[in-house]
Amino acid sequence: AQKITQTQPGMFVQEKEAVTLDCTYDTSDQSYGLFWYKQPSSGEMIFLIYQGSYDEQNATEGRYSLNFQKARKSANLVISASQLGDSAMYFCAMRETPSSGAGSYQLTFGKGTKLSVIP
Amino acid sequence: GAVVSQHPSRVICKSGTSVKIECRSLDFQATTMFWYRQFPKQSLMLMATSNEGSKATYEQGVEKDKFLINHASLTLSTLTVTSAHPEDSSFYICSASLWQTNTEAFFGQGTRLTVV
């Protein structure tokens, strides 16, 4: 079973509007972290926002906010006031507690959502 | 914020040759680095975990003799694609985490490898 599911292969949003990118996850760990990354056509991975499983409040970073619903195992990214420069691939990722001990906090990525901002 | 530098950003090589990709943490010590591979329009797939001073841990299905990983210092990990073939053409990207915190992983710029 997929650990990270992003059900929207592509999304369109009008400039200046808000958009929500969906992400659901699957884990039996109590301690885990959820990440969102932006990947423009250049390929670099740009960190956007992080939510820890024990964080009681939803994470926010400027125009980005994470709608964390732990019981539903969802971690949707909300981008407010979309800009043309927001057009890119967006990846949701999860970091679980490594079974081998510290130092192995690799990320598992979803398949991504391609966001296109329309002028 | 912490910076990870990856070099080269693009490389074209002939089939049968080897290519080395470097991943450096510029302003922090990274005991662990990760190597990912990304095919066009697909997600990042973890290839291996690189541990400083010890052997890398490879994911299932990744040939360790083909993708040689060396993590000789706390700031440098290298991935060598040996005897490259056209099917090895892909986007390779590394990441590193601060040991003290697991709230962010820093990525290199990625390397687009084309084998002709």
Side-chain angles (χ1 to χ4, degrees):
Chain A
Q2 287 187 9
K3 288 195 172 185
I4 296 288
T5 302
Q6 293 180 255
T7 58
Q8 306 152 314
M11 288 280 287
F12 290 90
V13 63
Q14 202 76 36
E15 192 178 6
K16 299 181 184 178
E17 297 293 312
V19 64
T20 298
L21 306 184
D22 295 341
C23 174
T24 57
Y25 59 92
D26 181 27
T27 181
S28 57
D29 284 357
Q30 296 300 309
S31 177
Y32 52 89
L34 297 158
F35 300 74
W36 277 93
Y37 284 86
K38 172 184 178 181
Q39 187 180 41
S41 57
S42 60
E44 59 186 309
M45 295 291 284
I46 302 169
F47 168 77
L48 297 179
I49 198 166
Y50 167 83
Q51 180 85 43
S53 58
Y54 292 119
D55 294 341
E56 295 184 350
Q57 291 191 333
N58 287 342
T60 60
E61 289 285 349
R63 294 188 297 113
Y64 305 106
S65 61
L66 199 151
N67 185 359
F68 181 46
Q69 298 188 34
K70 195 170 182 177
R72 297 178 59 183
K73 293 188 175 179
S74 75
N76 298 341
L77 175 70
V78 180
I79 305 175
S80 62
S82 297
Q83 301 172 357
L84 295 178
D86 293 335
S87 295
M89 283 291 292
Y90 288 81
F91 290 97
C92 178
M94 178 171 63
R95 171 181 277 161
E96 297 173 285
T97 304
S99 57
S100 58
S104 301
Y105 288 96
Q106 68 261 32
L107 297 177
T108 302
F109 287 86
K111 292 187 176 182
T113 296
K114 184 175 182 179
L115 178 65
S116 300
V117 181
I118 304 167
Chain B
V3 177
V4 174
S5 176
Q6 188 172 339
H7 177 80
S9 58
R10 289 179 179 270
V11 59
I12 300 173
C13 71
K14 290 184 177 180
S15 187
T17 62
S18 296
V19 173
K20 180 184 284 188
I21 303 169
E22 292 187 348
C23 180
R24 293 180 183 274
S25 56
L26 297 185
D27 52 359
F28 68 101
Q29 294 182 334
T31 54
T32 303
M33 292 185 178
F34 305 96
W35 287 96
Y36 295 86
R37 182 175 183 175
Q38 186 181 29
F39 289 106
K41 299 184 180 181
Q42 294 191 25
S43 187
L44 280 72
M45 299 300 296
L46 180 67
M47 298 176 64
T49 302
S50 172
N51 302 297
E52 186 269 334
S54 64
K55 291 183 178 180
T57 304
Y58 290 82
E59 295 299 301
Q60 192 172 11
V62 177
E63 299 177 61
K64 60 181 181 181
D65 294 330
K66 182 166 188 60
F67 299 99
L68 300 179
I69 291 173
N70 185 279
H71 195 155
S73 76
L74 286 170
T75 60
L76 174 64
S77 175
T78 60
L79 168 67
T80 302
V81 183
T82 62
S83 186
H85 292 286
E87 56 265 30
D88 298 326
S89 299
S90 190
F91 187 69
Y92 295 87
I93 191 164
C94 68
S95 78
S97 297
L98 288 167
W99 218 104
Q100 295 82 356
T101 174
N102 62 353
T103 61
E104 187 171 349
F106 304 96
F107 282 83
Q109 302 92 325
T111 298
R112 195 164 302 280
L113 170 64
T114 303
V115 184
V116 297

